[in-house]
Amino acid sequence: MAESAIWQLPPDESPPAEFVQAAAEYAPAGMATYAAQLLWQRGIRDPAALAGWLNPDCYSPTSPFAFGEEVQRAIARLKLAYERQEAIAIWGDFDADGITATAVLWDGLGQFFSQGDRLSYVIPNRLTESHGLTQRGIERLAAAGVRLIITCDTGSTSLAEIDHANRLGLDVIVTDHHTLLAQRPPVVAIVNPRSLPADHPLATLSGVAVAYKLVEALYETLPDVPTRPLDTLLDLVAIGLIADLVELRGDCRYLAQRGIAQLQKNQDVATAPRPGVAMLLEFCKRAGDRPTDISFGLGPRINAISRIQGDARDGVELLTSRDESRCRQLAEAAELANTRRRALQQDLFKQVSARLSQMDLSTTGVIVLEDPQWPVGILGLVAGQVAQEYGRPTILLSSAALLAASKPAASDAASSLPDHVKLARGSARSVNSIDLYELMGSQQHLLSGFGGHPLAAGLSLPLENIPLFADGINRQLRQQVGISGAIAPLLLPVDLIVTVGQLGKDLFQTLKLLEPCGMGNPTPNLLIRQGRFENVRNENIRDFKQRKVRYIKTEFDLVDETGQFHGVWWGHYRDEMPPGPCDAVVQLDFNPFRKRYEVRLVAVRPAADEWAAMVPAEPDWLLDWRGQTELPAGAADAEKVLVMTDCPTQWDDLRVWGRQARHDGKRLAIAYQTPPAVDPLESWQTLVGLAKYLSRTGQVATRSQLLRKLGLGDRPLRAGIQALQALGMTVSALPDGLRFQWHPADLSTQSPTAAQVNQTIEAFLSAVEEEQFRRQYFATVPAETIRAIAS
């Protein structure tokens, strides 16, 4: 955490007495106030909704057929493949979400199709290939007799590759959760929660959860075929959901809760339904009953397989094999890969820090660095560390001797590059809720490919474009945060202020009510004031063969006047502990290996600095009503709620509405709908026809009338007027509107005017496309991101 981070104290508001009373039914004795405070801060404020949120037995999960016609098409095609006994290939991804999604389909579809004979899977190599389908891979599948490809955690934007599959006679079903294009890909079905309203209980599913819902629908359609219960897949679903850092609400939270219950069955290798998972839990010394067992234990080890080895197929075998001997071999390899990953990550972080020490960061908003020797597999991890440490979005790239000619066709842009162009690949991580996806979208003309989320993304671009890209993305950030270019300092939220004496079983059980934690429901941070550290010692951790690893941890006793408690600070040395009285932000945990409660140190500062850098948190001011056909009851109460119905195209639009709501003492409700797809060429033809009509009739039109008629924003309209003027149209601003007068220009191919006209028309088409991208983005961006950035 950056040293300049502001510690944000809990909001100064108390839950009503009736809510505290309702929370008391679930909390340990004496902890009702803390439980109610934590739930209230997370927006759980209806006593009637508590049971469904806290207890999965009281939640009604959503049917997989809520995906509508797309899932119906997918199931119909799978039934046909089952009847014909066609060969099917699963196409997955190499991160933990993609690996577990592949494993879910492998186990789930394996109940209907014989594995190896009629069912196979493909995962790209992380070190030599990009995410997504490739034409070469599709050609190999076609040659092997595959007739149907089912993607998981990928495929929504692979238009060229899907076209290629269709030409070869292969059908494609996409299951994914990444950004949808305005143009539907030519597939049999695309099951993607991005197509659902933002408040839908399935809206935040990750790739593994979407794959599970497809299998669930097939189980319901052909119930007499499977011999293994559907619930046996839920441990894989929990691993992927929590490792992928999606917002755990609605069915996401329910599936994670159920999945952790299933995961606990893998504590004993001898009886475990998944011996590979049991062995990973052995190595990371965890019981499988906590989401942190995934985020700090299983997830990093599963990810390490592809980060270090490149090939992620061993990860799928490790999760699905019932051969204990083979699982032991694969689990040991994963453990060694994770050990290697830790050492490489620490070394690379030191290298990046050394380079940053030579830079003037006062003029840098987004850190962009490249080195041909950096290992691609760990760039995202280190970018996240750097972003937190320096309080700036960070993009780390490696050229890694990749030539466009030898690179698999991950995107049209990449495959169209000249053979001599050297590509850099890398990862980006954001901080302070700065929207990386939008920033990179503004520079996509320099990229060969990019994708991801507001806080994390991957990208590739020609090496020669890196300086232009770095300059452009920093310029775009300056436009976002204001002319000064100053980035707001990091906020470290504090959930509760407690004493050392309150740390222990009762408080732990209270905090555990919130689990599983994740985006939108973070692990609670506890503030200890005026404490001190005693018995501080640090050592290198050891691998399972008791060899030292180049990764440090510091252990200590946290002491105040109420008691003493054991703690750990990962990746830090004892001399980083400030001497004397300190304020510390910690997270309370249980160590099943040591059979004791302990704290993980998150941040520390001398108590002398006390409240100079602490601010109170604000109550929740944003209501997310996007995608709702009818506004909720009370929406018309103008005294309490300001309703925004027009989809924005920039963050400044949302900031203006947010400032107005706060000025008026109201909450802001974003209630705009997902914008319809707009064909830029049709928009141009409509604009030309409209201009000619107004010219012929002598009528004038206001700017508002034109915007409504075209369904566009102001920027594309301005570009369109410039293109009309280049064509010979005179556009005059009158008091009552705009007048159009047509004077066709000479546009012979020899005339220099032709190139200028074409350029202005292209500028209009690009403006329409960019506005489409931005509106689609703001229609689906998580409410948590809007809360943070619009603030």
Side-chain angles (χ1 to χ4, degrees), residues 472-495:
I473 202 167
N474 271 281
R475 187 170 57 251
Q476 182 68 17
L477 179 62
R478 284 193 293 272
Q479 292 175 7
Q480 271 194 17
V481 301
I483 193 167
S484 67
I487 298 176
L490 286 174
L491 291 178
L492 175 61
V494 172
D495 296 273

Side-chain angles (χ1 to χ4, degrees), residues 403 421 457 566:
L403 298 179
V421 173
H566 182 265

Side-chain angles (χ1 to χ4, degrees), residues 13 24 135 193 209 378 430 445 523-524 542 576 649 680:
E13 61 173 340
Q135 294 188 6
I378 62 169
S430 192
H445 57 287
T523 301
R542 295 178 181 270
E576 296 179 61
T649 59

Side-chain angles (χ1 to χ4, degrees), residues 687-697 729 740 742:
L687 177 60
V688 171
L690 187 59
K692 287 183 176 180
Y693 170 79
L694 293 172
S695 173
R696 186 174 62 255
T697 61
M729 180 77 70
F740 294 80
W742 183 243

Side-chain angles (χ1 to χ4, degrees), residues 83-101:
E83 292 162 0
R84 295 176 175 175
Q85 285 300 293
E86 292 178 316
I88 296 177
I90 303 161
W91 193 297
D93 197 26
F94 43 65
D95 65 5
D97 189 29
I99 291 172
T100 52

Side-chain angles (χ1 to χ4, degrees), residues 233-427:
L233 299 175
L234 285 172
D235 49 357
L236 299 176
V237 176
I239 294 170
L241 275 171
I242 292 169
D244 204 50
L245 300 177
V246 294
E247 188 177 354
L248 297 179
R249 62 176 174 85
D251 275 56
C252 253
R253 180 174 173 82
Y254 169 79
L255 291 172
Q257 289 170 316
R258 288 291 192 212
I260 290 173
Q262 178 69 22
L263 185 62
Q264 293 179 60
K265 298 177 182 180
N266 293 289
Q267 293 186 32
D268 184 350
V269 173
T271 59
R274 298 189 185 278
V277 172
M279 291 169 190
L280 288 181
L281 287 171
E282 245 182 34
F283 282 127
C284 61
K285 300 175 182 177
R286 294 180 180 270
D289 63 337
R290 305 279 313 289
T292 49
D293 296 350
I294 296 170
S295 51
F296 295 127
L298 298 179
R301 284 161 174 79
I302 293 169
N303 268 317
I305 296 170
S306 62
R307 292 188 191 281
I308 301 303
Q309 300 171 188
D311 191 346
R313 289 176 297 178
D314 282 356
V316 178
E317 186 178 358
L318 172 62
L319 296 177
T320 58
S321 173
R322 270 67 181 177
D323 182 335
E324 286 190 23
S325 175
R326 177 59 174 158
C327 285
R328 177 67 63 183
Q329 178 186 357
L330 293 170
E332 288 184 359
E335 180 67 15
L336 291 172
N338 191 51
T339 299
R340 174 67 175 153
R341 183 273 306 170
R342 279 173 160 165
L344 287 174
Q345 183 178 342
Q346 185 157 299
D347 289 347
L348 181 52
F349 180 74
K350 289 179 180 177
Q351 291 180 43
V352 173
S353 298
R355 285 181 56 172
L356 291 175
S357 68
Q358 307 299 315
M359 294 172 56
D360 179 9
L361 291 180
S362 66
T363 61
T364 303
V366 182
I367 294 170
V368 182
L369 295 176
E370 183 274 334
D371 192 289
Q373 303 303 317
W374 286 346
V376 172
I378 62 169
L379 291 181
L381 296 172
V382 179
Q385 277 186 281
V386 173
Q388 287 294 324
E389 184 71 19
Y390 292 86
R392 289 164 172 76
T394 300
I395 301 172
L396 300 182
L397 300 157
S398 174
S399 50
L402 288 176
L403 298 179
S406 62
K407 178 181 180 293
S411 67
D412 293 338
S415 59
S416 64
L417 292 169
D419 288 353
H420 67 278
V421 173
K422 193 174 185 180
L423 285 178
R425 289 177 53 215
S427 294

Side-chain angles (χ1 to χ4, degrees), residues 675-748:
V678 175
D679 185 325
L681 194 56
E682 287 184 10
S683 296
W684 170 245
Q685 292 168 347
T686 302
L687 177 60
V688 171
L690 187 59
K692 287 183 176 180
Y693 170 79
L694 293 172
S695 173
R696 186 174 62 255
T697 61
Q699 298 181 45
V700 298
T702 66
R703 185 175 292 272
S704 296
Q705 289 172 329
L706 292 171
L707 293 175
R708 283 197 301 271
K709 185 72 175 177
L710 295 167
L712 299 176
D714 197 61
R715 183 171 175 268
L717 178 60
R718 289 199 305 270
I721 289 174
Q722 290 175 356
L724 290 173
Q725 290 171 328
L727 278 170
M729 180 77 70
T730 300
V731 183
S732 308
L734 303 177
D736 52 349
L738 298 175
R739 170 173 291 169
F740 294 80
Q741 293 175 294
W742 183 243
H743 306 288
D746 177 12
L747 299 179
S748 65

